[in-house]
Every structure is written in structure tokens, then in C-alpha cells.
Amino acid sequence: EVQLVELGGGLVQAGGSLRLSCVVSGLNFDDYAIGWFRQAPGKDREGVSCISDTGSSSYYADAVKGRFTISKGNAESTVYLQMNSLKPEDTAVYYCAADIRGNSDYLCKYFRGLQYWGKGTPVTVSS
């Protein structure tokens, strides 16, 4: 029933921009924190950016702070990740996840065992 679908991945040059979308259905959008995570080959999954249930708080990993912006589109039940100044080290499969706990920082830092994940969208930054 619950579905999260990531859109917008692709190939981009270093220094370029990309906007990812996480389209959420089957749950009450305003009751869940939504987060973006990424996993590069041979590396652990990491929290990239998360936004609280109300949209009032957000978290950014140090590696992306100042370059990425997370936002909520409540009417369309979609969370966006605007990625600017992309670097080759941003290359990964990007996943979104939903968390009933509702807290942005907690979601991005403690995501083991989360039930609701998308299937991911690959982002490749070349240079």
C-alpha cells in the first residue's frame, strides 16, 4: 500500500545540478519525516538530507551542506532534493524513506529498520 518513488536521477557533469523527487502515497504525508539517503558502491548507506513531518526542520549531512536543499510539496505529497554544485563523490544510488517518528535529524542518523523505502534512483556525477 505504501509507496515511495524516486525520480530525477541521471548523469550530470561536476558542478551541475539535479533535482530529485520522492513521490509518496499510501500514508499520511504530514505525519512522517521524509529523508534522502544514498549508497555508493562499496560504501554504507548514509543519510543525506531529511525533513520533518511538519517541514519545519531539516537535516543535512556535512558533505552536502550548502549545496543541497530539501523541501516538501504538501499538495502533491512529494519531497524534493535540489542538488547543486555536484561533485563526483555524490555519485550513488539515492533512496528516500518515510519515518513515523517525524523528526528530521533522527531519521537521517538512525534509519536502520525503517519500513518504508523507495527503490532508488541512480545519480552519476562525471568529471
Side-chain angles (χ1 to χ4, degrees), residues 27-35 50-59 70 72 97-110 114 116:
L27 54 77
N28 192 318
F29 188 65
D30 293 336
D31 288 341
Y32 287 75
I34 307 293
C50 297
I51 191 164
S52 65
D53 49 5
T54 64
S56 63
S57 299
S58 60
Y59 168 91
I70 192 168
K72 296 184 72 176
D99 183 8
I100 191 61
R101 297 172 299 184
N103 181 276
S104 58
D105 294 27
Y106 200 54
L107 170 56
C108 257
K109 294 178 180 180
Y110 307 104
L114 285 178
Y116 304 124

Side-chain angles (χ1 to χ4, degrees), residues 51-121:
I51 191 164
S52 65
D53 49 5
T54 64
S56 63
S57 299
S58 60
Y59 168 91
Y60 298 93
D62 288 344
V64 308
K65 188 173 175 61
R67 300 188 296 120
F68 291 10
T69 303
I70 192 168
S71 61
K72 296 184 72 176
N74 289 325
E76 64 267 39
S77 295
T78 300
V79 170
Y80 304 96
L81 185 68
Q82 179 67 46
M83 306 187 294
N84 298 326
S85 302
L86 282 162
K87 305 175 179 180
E89 50 262 46
D90 296 317
T91 296
V93 177
Y94 283 70
Y95 302 87
C96 61
D99 183 8
I100 191 61
R101 297 172 299 184
N103 181 276
S104 58
D105 294 27
Y106 200 54
L107 170 56
C108 257
K109 294 178 180 180
Y110 307 104
F111 52 87
R112 292 185 65 193
L114 285 178
Q115 183 177 4
Y116 304 124
W117 291 88
K119 293 182 178 180
T121 186

Side-chain angles (χ1 to χ4, degrees), residues 13-34:
Q13 261 281 313
S17 297
L18 216 52
R19 189 174 82 151
L20 305 183
S21 300
C22 175
V23 183
V24 180
S25 61
L27 54 77
N28 192 318
F29 188 65
D30 293 336
D31 288 341
Y32 287 75
I34 307 293

